[in-house]
Amino acid sequence: MQPLAFSVILTLFYRKHAVGDAYNRVGLMYEWNPFIFVGMLTCIANFPAERNVYLRDRHDCTYSSSAFLASYMCIELPCSVISAFLASTLLNFAVGLSSDVTVFLESTLLIFLVLTYGESAGLMYCSAIKHAGFAVSIVSINLSLINVMCGWFNAAGKLPLPLHILNCISPLKYAAEYSGIVQFEGQSFRFGGGDLSGETILENYGFSVDHKWSCLGWLCGLTVMYRLMAFAALRFVPDLKRW
C-alpha cells in the first residue's frame, strides 16, 4: 500500500499548512504527480520476479503474454483502485482540500490513472531491460523529466519545441491541468490584501477550466496507450530458458 503511505506523509505535512492558502494548495497539487513514481515502484517490487517465471513458462508454451498480463492486472487494478480511493479520502477530507463528493470522485479517478501510468512505465522498462536496477534508473530519469515539464513547476507552453512535443504525449501534462481545475475552479483566495480567484491562478500556469474534459480524455487515452505499449514490450521480449 505504497500510495496510502505516501498520502499519509502528505497529510501529516499539509495538516499543519493551511491549504486555503494559494501557495500551499499549488504545492500540494504538484505533489500529486509523484504518484507516478509510487506506481512505478509498486511494479518494480512485484513484476521482475513474476516476469522471469512467465518468460520461462512461455518458453515451454505454457501460456501466452495476454494471459499473463491479464492475470497481473486482475491483481494490480483492484489494488490501485483501493489505494486511489484511500489516498483521495486523506487528501480531500483529512487535509481539507474539499468536502465535495464530485471533487472526491474526480480526485480518485485522477490518482488511479496516474498510478496506472506509473505502473505501465515500470512494466515497459522492466520488460525491455532484464536488470531491475538499471531499469529503475532509466525509468526514474524519464519520469523525473516529464514530472518537471508537466506545468506546475514550469509552464508547459514555455518549453523548447522538442520537450514540448514530449510533454504533449505525457499523461502528467493533462493530469496536472485536470487536478488544478478540479481543486481551483470556483475557489477564492486571500492574496496581497485582496481576493484572487482560482481561475486566475490557473491562467498564470497556462491552464484553463475549458480544458477540463479534454484533459481527462487525453489522460485516459494515453494511460490506455501506454498499457498497450507495455503489453507489446512484454510480448516481444526474448524468452528465458530454464536452468
Side-chain angles (χ1 to χ4, degrees):
M1 300 296 284
Q2 296 181 38
L4 178 60
F6 180 61
S7 301
V8 169
I9 293 172
L10 292 180
T11 300
L12 293 174
F13 181 81
Y14 279 98
R15 282 287 292 176
K16 295 184 177 181
H17 298 76
V19 290
D21 178 82
Y23 285 119
N24 288 338
R25 185 170 288 232
V26 168
L28 181 54
M29 290 299 95
Y30 180 70
E31 290 298 332
W32 283 36
N33 283 345
F35 275 107
I36 191 175
F37 292 98
V38 178
M40 181 268 291
L41 291 174
T42 301
C43 171
I44 297 298
N46 301 299
F47 180 71
E50 300 293 337
R51 174 205 61 194
N52 291 341
V53 174
Y54 153 71
L55 291 176
R56 293 189 180 96
D57 288 345
R58 190 182 69 179
H59 178 73
D60 294 338
C61 301
T62 305
Y63 49 83
S64 65
S65 302
S66 56
F68 169 73
L69 189 60
S71 62
Y72 182 88
M73 291 172 60
C74 284
I75 299 173
E76 171 222 348
L77 293 181
C79 291
S80 295
V81 170
I82 295 171
S83 297
F85 181 85
L86 295 175
S88 182
T89 300
L90 288 174
L91 295 174
N92 280 287
F93 299 125
V95 173
L97 278 174
S98 175
S99 59
D100 185 83
V101 175
T102 302
V103 172
F104 165 71
L105 293 176
E106 290 173 335
S107 300
T108 302
L109 176 61
L110 171 68
I111 294 173
F112 168 73
L113 292 172
V114 173
L115 286 172
T116 303
Y117 169 53
E119 187 128 11
S120 296
L123 288 171
M124 281 190 291
Y125 282 89
C126 284
S127 295
I129 303 173
K130 297 295 179 60
H131 193 283
F134 185 58
V136 171
S137 299
I138 299 300
V139 71
S140 296
I141 292 171
N142 283 273
L143 295 184
S144 297
L145 177 62
I146 64 174
N147 186 41
V148 171
M149 296 191 303
C150 70
W152 287 119
F153 188 79
N154 185 38
K158 299 179 181 179
L159 295 170
L161 182 59
L163 294 181
H164 177 71
I165 295 173
L166 178 62
N167 195 39
C168 286
I169 59 173
S170 164
L172 282 192
K173 174 185 183 297
Y174 307 100
E177 185 166 4
Y178 183 72
S179 66
I181 295 170
V182 167
Q183 295 295 342
F184 280 91
E185 185 179 13
Q187 300 291 326
S188 181
F189 304 90
R190 295 292 297 174
F191 187 83
D195 291 332
L196 185 66
S197 69
E199 287 78 5
T200 301
I201 295 174
L202 291 174
E203 289 175 4
N204 290 334
Y205 286 93
F207 300 155
S208 172
V209 294
D210 296 332
H211 298 162
K212 180 177 181 178
W213 301 115
S214 62
C215 284
L216 181 59
W218 276 104
L219 177 57
C220 292
L222 287 172
T223 301
V224 172
M225 184 190 78
Y226 282 107
R227 182 51 59 98
L228 294 175
M229 291 174 63
F231 171 75
L234 182 66
R235 173 65 182 82
F236 294 107
V237 67
D239 293 339
L240 286 181
K241 296 183 180 180
R242 292 192 176 275
W243 296 298

